[in-house]
Amino acid sequence: MRMYGQPERDEKNGQIVYNSLLNHEFALNEILVHDGKITTNEGWAFGDQIADCSMGEDFGNDKGQGAHVEELSYDHDRFNVYLDTQKDQVFYATPDKDFVTFR
């Protein structure tokens, strides 16, 4: 797996990653909309993507051990990258335009 920069935190516990995706990313999404970094419509779209990702990824039995996900956190958990370690690809990243560019 290729590392995306030098994360401050690299979480592999499925339960923690699942909770972070559902709780922390929804909160970050609201902050990004409130701060005008993404539009309200983008906020709704990313919220839907968070919900889809939380249901579609393998977080392991009882959302714990055996998970195939990893969370890389940057800038004091302000930007996070969620990886599917079996497919070696990103399945969600915090949509903060300070960190990523949309095309």
Side-chain angles (χ1 to χ4, degrees):
M1 165 128 342
R2 190 176 117 225
M3 185 64 75
Y4 292 85
Q6 203 56 250
E8 295 169 352
R9 188 170 57 83
D10 181 354
E11 184 59 61
K12 294 179 176 102
N13 179 288
Q15 180 66 49
I16 294 170
V17 174
Y18 177 79
N19 288 334
S20 179
L21 180 64
L22 278 182
N23 299 316
H24 187 66
E25 288 302 325
F26 271 119
L28 285 176
N29 198 36
E30 289 178 8
I31 291 167
L32 292 170
V33 170
H34 181 266
D35 291 349
K37 294 190 177 210
I38 59 175
T39 67
T40 301
N41 286 342
E42 289 171 334
W44 288 334
F46 285 113
D48 287 346
Q49 186 178 7
I50 293 167
D52 288 348
C53 289
S54 69
M55 291 184 283
E57 291 302 318
D58 182 5
F59 291 92
N61 296 332
D62 297 322
K63 309 285 188 270
Q65 298 302 317
H68 301 290
V69 297
E70 185 173 356
E71 176 189 11
L72 306 176
S73 297
Y74 305 86
D75 198 27
H76 310 289
D77 287 335
R78 192 174 131 215
F79 178 72
N80 304 294
V81 176
Y82 296 83
L83 305 171
D84 179 324
T85 58
Q86 283 190 325
K87 296 177 185 172
D88 194 26
Q89 67 185 21
V90 172
F91 69 88
Y92 186 80
T94 307
D96 188 331
K97 293 177 185 176
D98 289 343
F99 298 95
V100 294
T101 302
F102 301 110
R103 294 183 187 186

